[in-house]
Amino acid sequence: MSIVPRERARDWILRWDRQQEGYMPDREARFAALIDAVEAGAGRPDPLVLDLGCGPGSLAVRLLDRLPEATVVALDADPLLLALARAAHEGRPGLRFADVDLRTPGWASSLGLDRPVDAAVSTTALHWLAEPELRVMYPELASVMKPGGVFLNGDHMEVIDIAPALAKLERAVHERAMRRRFGAGRPEDWRQWWDAVAADPDLAALADERARKVAGAAHRGSESLELSAHVTALRDAGFAEVGTLWQNGNDRLLCAIRS
């Protein structure tokens, strides 16, 4: 049983969702497109889905709302976000959370999966991994996915290394979308949310654990910023087809099909 009261956890997750929308004004549209792709591409009404870097479970629960027969195994290494997720969604059918660091080889075998994965998903998480870590993580992911399985990664991914003028336009489109949505009144940002969490006595022990375990303060948000890093690593890992399925500015939903 989590030490975080359920309603407190749900309040913090709602606040998390608002601060995330401050970076992604079309966040819900990206979620919808990703889940559309899982529904269309998994090939069965009860897919086994891995949610990589699940945070407090925002994507996992939306996926199960749409596909209630699915099984979602949601992975993260952040003890505080996992505690919020478990407290808020304890007992949800089809949903299991796992404390897993995707940077540690062997993470996939530790899950004890009883069949191949139909789909793997992630949103605004894998930029935490540096390119060499992606090149280890993606082959391990491929090893537990069925042939034809779909991988979907929604994140800000830049093309500045191959198309700098286009990258500039993509950023400009994103900034204009932000201004239309929020004007000068943007929600609290990522750092403000974490500062507020640290000030909550109910979360103090978890915040201390996170400080010991996760490199949150050192996170630059650009460890694997470039689209090409993901595309190349996925192809080398055995994903036959890789491309952008949805896009608004530099906010992309990257899709890859397992060979």
Side-chain angles (χ1 to χ4, degrees):
M1 181 70 67
S2 170
I3 64 172
V4 185
R6 177 173 292 225
E7 290 307 314
R8 291 287 291 149
R10 288 177 173 173
D11 288 344
W12 276 112
I13 292 172
L14 286 173
R15 189 167 168 178
W16 169 271
D17 286 343
R18 286 195 297 271
Q19 66 91 357
Q20 288 287 291
E21 287 170 358
Y23 299 95
M24 295 159 285
D26 292 319
R27 183 172 183 249
E28 292 298 332
R30 190 175 74 182
F31 277 145
L34 185 154
I35 298 168
D36 284 344
V38 172
E39 188 174 25
R44 54 192 295 170
D46 60 343
L48 174 59
V49 183
L50 298 186
D51 182 0
L52 310 179
C54 66
S58 299
L59 171 58
V61 297
R62 285 165 172 80
L63 200 152
L64 283 167
D65 286 344
R66 177 92 72 84
L67 300 173
E69 295 181 62
T71 297
V72 179
V73 182
L75 321 176
D76 209 294
D78 189 308
L80 193 147
L81 293 179
L82 278 177
L84 293 178
R86 285 169 168 152
H89 307 300
E90 183 179 13
R92 176 73 185 255
L95 179 58
R96 172 165 69 94
F97 291 99
D99 183 355
V100 168
D101 189 337
L102 297 171
R103 297 168 297 187
T104 302
W107 61 267
S109 61
S110 74
L111 299 176
L113 302 175
D114 60 3
R115 62 183 172 98
V117 171
D118 300 291
V121 300
S122 186
T123 57
T124 322
L126 297 184
H127 60 259
W128 280 84
L129 276 64
E131 185 173 356
E133 293 166 337
L134 290 176
R135 288 188 162 275
V136 175
M137 188 276 288
Y138 280 144
E140 187 159 352
L141 173 62
S143 74
V144 295
M145 292 186 69
K146 72 176 186 180
V150 294
F151 168 67
L152 298 146
N153 179 23
D155 212 336
H156 289 101
M157 287 175 267
E158 300 278 5
V159 294
I160 193 167
D161 58 325
I162 56 173
L166 180 58
K168 183 177 179 180
L169 282 174
E170 288 179 352
R171 287 190 180 187
V173 167
H174 178 72
E175 285 300 318
R176 281 159 174 76
M178 296 274 284
R179 287 199 293 271
R180 280 195 302 274
R181 174 73 182 274
F182 301 114
R186 293 186 183 183
E188 69 180 338
D189 64 20
W190 188 87
R191 176 50 56 196
Q192 289 168 328
W193 188 89
W194 281 108
D195 288 345
V197 162
D200 186 336
D202 288 340
L203 301 179
L206 288 165
D208 288 343
E209 182 182 354
R210 181 180 190 273
R212 294 190 299 271
K213 184 177 179 182
V214 180
H219 175 48
R220 302 185 303 278
S222 58
E223 282 81 348
S224 54
L225 176 68
E226 293 174 350
L227 175 65
S228 61
H230 292 270
V231 171
T232 301
L234 284 163
R235 286 178 174 157
D236 289 348
F239 289 85
E241 300 179 27
V242 184
T244 297
L245 196 59
W246 176 97
Q247 180 178 353
N248 190 349
N250 61 353
D251 185 11
R252 286 179 167 79
L253 178 59
L254 185 65
C255 180
I257 310 297
R258 175 73 170 94
S259 299

